Amino acid sequence: MLSLYNSLTRRVEPFEPLHPPKVGVYTCGPTVYGHVHIGNWSTFVAADVLVRWLRERYEVTYVQNITDVEDKIIRDSQAAGQDRKTFTDHWTKIYLDGLEQLDARRMIDHLPLATEHIEGMVAMIQTLLDKGHAYMAEDGSIYYRVSSFPTYGELAHLDPESLMAGASGRVAADEYEKDQVADFALWKAYVPADGEVWWSPAFVIDGTAQILDGRPGWHIECSVMSMKLLGEEFDIHMGGEDLLFPHHQNEIAQSEAATGHTPFVRVWLHRRHLRVDGGKMSKSLKNFYTIEDVIDRCGPDGPASFRYLVATSHYRHSLDFSWSAMDRAHATRRGLVEARTRFAKLAEGAKASTTFQAFEDRFTAAMDDDLSTSEAIASVHDAVGEANRRAHGDALTPEDAASVVALMDRADRVLGLALKEEGPALSSEVQALLDQRAAARASRNWAESDRLRDVLRDEHGLVVKDTSNGQELTKA
């Protein structure tokens, strides 16, 4: 049975869906105002692995939002001389391209934009006003009254009394620190700095309808989008640990106050921070990396190597990113790709034996144990090692090879490691080099054969290996 660590209870608990076999999952997506950094990508990959594993047993609806109206978007779109939609459309496309590169797009069922749900946000804010959980300030903004929600701070395990003592003020910013606990903005009154970004809904305040030009606060967006697509109560909410407070706590407060349903979410999962070379990632330290940086540094296989690095580390452990770690991830994944190719050839369509069932059981147990992906991939490597030992002793049958391939394919399906590599598409130039090399080997011209091997590697990024079946190509 699957067990998950619930940030709300701080315990690993058996996962019991609200409406089995259906499961609803929501992940806070990006605010689209620039390149997404690798710390955010580590969260999105972890969420993708979660959904892949859930889909081994359940019917999952997976929602990931895109925030396309927020303080930084307004600031940076104006600096770029673009209207909000043109600006966010550009960065949304780049984000979606990144999802594709990391094979994290196809699991997502819904990618709602915040601006598509303004009407729902207005309706929820009105409900909070009607129930006394919100009020209008002098400037026309609407704030959530933190003191009206007795368990505020529970998700982050902050002391309610100290929080209430600091909650008499208000914060207009979308993001703030724990020591800035205060009533937070649900609707932000228009100010000249907002430029052309505003909506004009009518709110009923103390029995009187008033048009309040402005825009939603950040926190209300996720509550409305998640409940619209998953219901007023759903199973799992995931995000980076930086969102635990205040964002996720504010989601709980406004959602439960509006609907009366508790809990709003049954399980809260948080991906630990990604560190770079043992320290914090920061633009000032020049170690703020994006997936584009990974591709520039590591080539076309960079996203797959990064995904391997993230997907095979436990989501509750801080991941230390470095270029040397990326090199190791690349080499390890390539080793698995090549191993699968060898075993698949030996299997030749044979029916899988049960010889490697213990490794399969280990993989399942690890994934069910709070998504222990590091132990799960260890079971795969151990299976490959055992299969290699048997193969070297001519004791690996086609049926056994098929069993190893089945395990590797399951790991591939769950972790998204791209182990089933198709042979690289060959240009006429590459094919000509291979033909020349084959001729050189046939004439025992080893120097020319080695020269052509180096040309294929250095100029075309291809590694050629000589096997009993002829020359085999893989990506360098």
Side-chain angles (χ1 to χ4, degrees):
M1 181 177 187
L2 173 62
S3 295
L4 297 170
Y5 181 87
N6 189 346
S7 296
L8 185 62
T9 62
R10 290 189 177 180
R11 292 195 304 266
V12 176
E13 302 170 337
F15 174 63
E16 298 179 358
L18 187 63
H19 302 294
K22 299 182 183 299
V23 172
V25 179
Y26 184 87
T27 295
C28 289
T31 299
V32 283
Y33 69 101
H35 286 290
V36 173
H37 61 66
I38 57 174
N40 295 137
W41 282 124
S42 72
T43 295
F44 302 142
V45 168
D48 183 71
V49 170
L50 164 69
V51 171
R52 286 169 181 255
W53 186 243
L54 288 170
R55 284 196 167 134
E56 294 282 297
R57 294 192 181 102
Y58 302 110
E59 300 172 16
V60 182
T61 300
Y62 177 29
V63 180
Q64 184 189 112
N65 79 294
I66 292 178
T67 296
D68 61 343
V69 58
E70 191 256 6
D71 296 347
K72 294 184 289 292
I73 288 173
I74 293 174
R75 177 197 69 197
D76 289 2
S77 63
Q78 291 176 350
Q82 295 179 329
D83 64 83
R84 181 203 59 80
K85 187 175 187 309
T86 299
F87 180 79
T88 57
D89 282 353
H90 169 75
W91 289 112
T92 297
K93 181 182 184 306
I94 289 176
Y95 173 67
L96 296 178
D97 289 344
L99 281 179
E100 294 285 354
Q101 290 164 328
L102 288 166
D103 194 18
R105 171 65 184 89
R106 56 197 174 95
M107 292 293 125
I108 303 173
D109 297 296
H110 302 281
L111 275 162
L113 299 174
T115 54
E116 295 174 341
H117 294 269
I118 300 296
E119 184 178 345
M121 296 173 203
V122 170
M124 178 178 277
I125 294 170
Q126 184 64 60
T127 298
L128 292 170
L129 285 166
D130 295 342
K131 291 187 173 185
H133 293 286
Y135 60 91
M136 185 178 75
E138 297 82 2
D139 67 348
S141 295
I142 298 175
Y143 287 87
Y144 184 90
R145 183 177 283 113
V146 168
S147 62
S148 73
F149 195 74
T151 59
Y152 189 86
E154 184 178 25
L155 179 64
H157 299 272
L158 302 175
D159 177 50
E161 290 188 7
S162 65
L163 289 179
M164 293 308 107
S168 58
R170 291 192 290 265
V171 291
D174 283 329
E175 300 175 62
Y176 50 90
E177 303 297 327
K178 288 183 181 180
D179 60 0
Q180 295 176 290
V181 173
D183 295 350
F184 56 90
L186 298 169
W187 187 258
K188 306 175 79 167
Y190 177 82
V191 294
D194 290 342
E196 300 300 315
V197 181
W198 83 86
W199 287 261
S200 300
F203 292 98
V204 177
I205 311 290
D206 297 329
T208 304
Q210 300 187 45
I211 300 294
L212 299 182
D213 293 343
R215 57 189 172 88
W218 174 40
H219 309 295
I220 197 73
E221 296 177 0
C222 281
S223 284
V224 169
M225 287 184 281
S226 63
M227 290 196 293
K228 172 69 174 179
L229 294 164
L230 298 174
E232 294 182 350
E233 298 175 86
F234 59 92
D235 295 293
I236 300 174
H237 195 312
M238 192 166 186
E241 66 174 332
D242 56 310
L243 299 181
L244 194 148
F245 186 92
H247 183 53
H248 290 164
Q249 178 60 74
N250 290 352
E251 281 189 65
I252 290 173
Q254 62 203 8
S255 300
E256 294 184 3
T259 67
H261 294 309
T262 302
F264 158 53
V265 173
R266 296 169 72 86
V267 181
W268 290 88
L269 269 63
H270 290 93
R271 178 72 168 94
R272 288 291 304 278
H273 285 308
L274 177 144
R275 298 172 67 80
V276 176
D277 294 321
K280 185 177 180 180
M281 182 169 56
S282 167
K283 288 183 178 179
S284 63
L285 296 175
K286 297 183 179 179
N287 65 357
F288 185 94
Y289 300 128
T290 68
I291 202 66
E292 290 73 22
D293 294 323
V294 167
I295 294 170
D296 289 344
R297 180 76 173 256
C298 303
D301 272 0
S305 300
F306 178 74
R307 175 157 185 135
Y308 183 93
L309 182 67
V310 172
T312 58
S313 67
H314 197 283
Y315 76 96
R316 283 199 294 119
H317 296 167
S318 182
L319 173 62
D320 192 14
F321 174 91
S322 67
W323 294 115
S324 60
M326 282 288 290
D327 290 341
R328 291 192 296 272
H330 170 79
T332 304
R333 192 188 73 84
R334 290 300 313 167
L336 289 177
V337 169
E338 293 167 9
R340 187 195 176 281
T341 299
R342 291 196 308 274
F343 298 143
K345 284 186 177 179
L346 176 59
E348 292 182 343
K351 183 178 180 180
S353 70
T354 59
T355 303
F356 290 84
Q357 185 61 45
F359 297 99
E360 178 102 20
D361 294 342
R362 227 177 100 194
F363 181 90
T364 300
M367 291 301 298
D368 275 348
D369 182 16
D370 192 31
L371 307 176
S372 296
T373 54
S374 54
E375 172 59 25
I377 197 64
S379 72
V380 176
H381 284 293
D382 289 348
V384 169
E386 176 62 22
N388 281 331
R389 284 188 288 274
R390 290 173 180 248
H392 291 155
D394 292 327
L396 186 69
T397 68
E399 291 77 15
D400 291 346
S403 178
V404 180
V405 170
L407 171 60
M408 297 181 80
D409 286 351
R410 189 180 189 208
D412 194 357
R413 183 173 68 248
V414 170
L415 301 177
L417 304 179
L419 302 184
K420 297 180 190 177
E421 183 175 71
E422 302 292 338
L426 303 184
S427 66
S428 57
E429 181 181 1
V430 168
Q431 187 60 59
L433 290 170
L434 286 172
D435 292 342
Q436 293 169 30
R437 187 170 181 276
R441 288 183 61 78
S443 62
R444 306 179 70 81
N445 186 347
W446 309 122
E448 177 64 3
S449 171
D450 290 347
R451 185 190 73 79
L452 291 166
R453 177 198 62 202
D454 293 344
V455 170
L456 286 162
R457 181 194 63 215
D458 298 338
E459 297 183 14
H460 299 278
L462 299 171
V463 174
V464 61
K465 291 186 178 181
D466 298 301
T467 73
S468 59
N469 295 319
Q471 300 178 100
E472 290 185 358
L473 281 181
T474 57
K475 294 178 182 177

